[in-house]
Amino acid sequence: MPLDIPVLTAALVAGLLGGLHCAVMCGGIATGFPAMAPGRALSVAWQANLGRIGGYTLAGALAGGLGGGILRLARSDALALGVRVAVGVALVLLALRLLGRGSRFDLLARPGQQLWQWLRPLHRHLLPADRAWRRLALGALWGWMPCGLSLSLLSVAWLQANALGGALVMAVFGLATLPVMLPLTWSGARMGRWLQRPGLRAALAGFVLAAGLLTIAAPWLMQVPALHGVLSALGCQPLQSR
């Protein structure tokens, strides 16, 4: 399906708001990387986080490609429209998660847990992480750990129904977590606390909710001549089967 600007912006907002969540859930992993190369903490932190974002991006590309394959096999306008609506629903559920609700609706929670059980043994084969490529690989493996927030975004990536769109969604999400995850020091903690202020968090989650509702309604709103130009500028195109 066409990649809408509201979807990418929602992924960016989710990454910014989710950075503190990532720090809480994965702080022990993040702070353990500098011990792998004493005296090079900053470069190690970059390698680990670039690997993590690469892992997100690869997962998004694979999920989006799988969704696209299903859509091409079906070649149905009704299914294509259903996928667009499903993207909007996934964004609405993501907004609820950012507000502390809706975690039980993660579409990929069970498959993600099963995949991680298969990938987990790879960790010991990458130790000791005494080379840059090993740290990048460990970071990529870190990105594939089951996490409710990243799995919610992966659902959106899957529903993009193409590899590039899925990869972009996950890459934007991963990059947006860097302000908190890269430092995990004074500046990162300060940014995280600022983003977690209730009013700001509610406003940004409301933006994700609005992006979801717009994504659901866009195919019908495009029929309104006065809105056609604005929605086209946002990337909201009429959906057609391929």
Side-chain angles (χ1 to χ4, degrees):
M1 60 172 286
L3 188 65
D4 298 341
I5 291 176
V7 173
L8 284 182
T9 309
L12 177 69
V13 170
L16 287 171
L17 285 180
L20 188 60
H21 166 81
C22 295
V24 171
M25 297 297 294
C26 302
I29 298 173
T31 55
F33 272 95
M36 299 176 183
R40 298 175 53 203
L42 183 58
S43 64
V44 169
W46 271 109
Q47 290 161 6
N49 279 280
L50 288 177
R52 177 175 60 87
I53 294 169
Y56 288 156
T57 304
L58 177 60
L62 292 174
L66 176 61
I70 294 172
L71 198 60
R72 283 191 293 273
L73 283 175
R75 292 185 178 275
S76 165
D77 288 335
L79 178 60
L81 179 60
V83 168
R84 176 177 287 278
V85 172
V87 171
V89 171
L91 289 177
V92 170
L93 295 178
L94 174 61
L96 294 176
R97 167 173 279 282
L98 292 173
L99 290 170
R101 305 172 184 177
S103 59
R104 59 184 175 180
F105 297 110
D106 292 333
L107 300 178
L108 301 179
R110 181 171 294 180
Q113 291 284 350
Q114 293 172 342
L115 178 61
W116 176 245
Q117 291 304 315
W118 181 71
L119 291 174
R120 191 172 183 176
L122 295 176
H123 178 270
R124 63 175 179 268
H125 295 298
L126 294 171
L127 297 174
D130 52 1
R131 297 287 186 275
W133 72 267
R134 286 178 177 267
R135 292 188 286 271
L136 285 167
L138 276 173
L141 193 61
W142 173 20
W144 282 52
M145 287 183 63
C147 164
L149 187 61
S150 62
L151 287 174
S152 296
L153 265 296
L154 195 60
S155 301
V156 177
W158 171 42
L159 292 167
Q160 291 307 301
N162 68 79
L164 178 59
L168 281 173
V169 166
M170 295 305 293
V172 167
F173 166 71
L175 288 169
T177 65
L178 278 179
V180 173
M181 291 303 295
L182 182 62
L184 271 185
T185 54
W186 178 85
S187 60
R190 189 178 181 86
M191 174 69 77
R193 287 194 297 270
W194 182 76
L195 288 168
Q196 296 307 309
R197 292 186 298 175
L200 180 61
R201 186 177 183 87
L204 292 176
F207 175 86
V208 176
L209 177 63
L213 295 175
L214 177 61
T215 301
I216 293 171
W220 292 275
L221 293 177
M222 288 287 286
Q223 307 304 314
V224 180
L227 297 177
H228 191 278
V230 175
L231 293 174
S232 295
L234 291 174
C236 301
Q237 302 294 332
L239 199 61
Q240 297 177 352
S241 61
R242 299 180 182 178

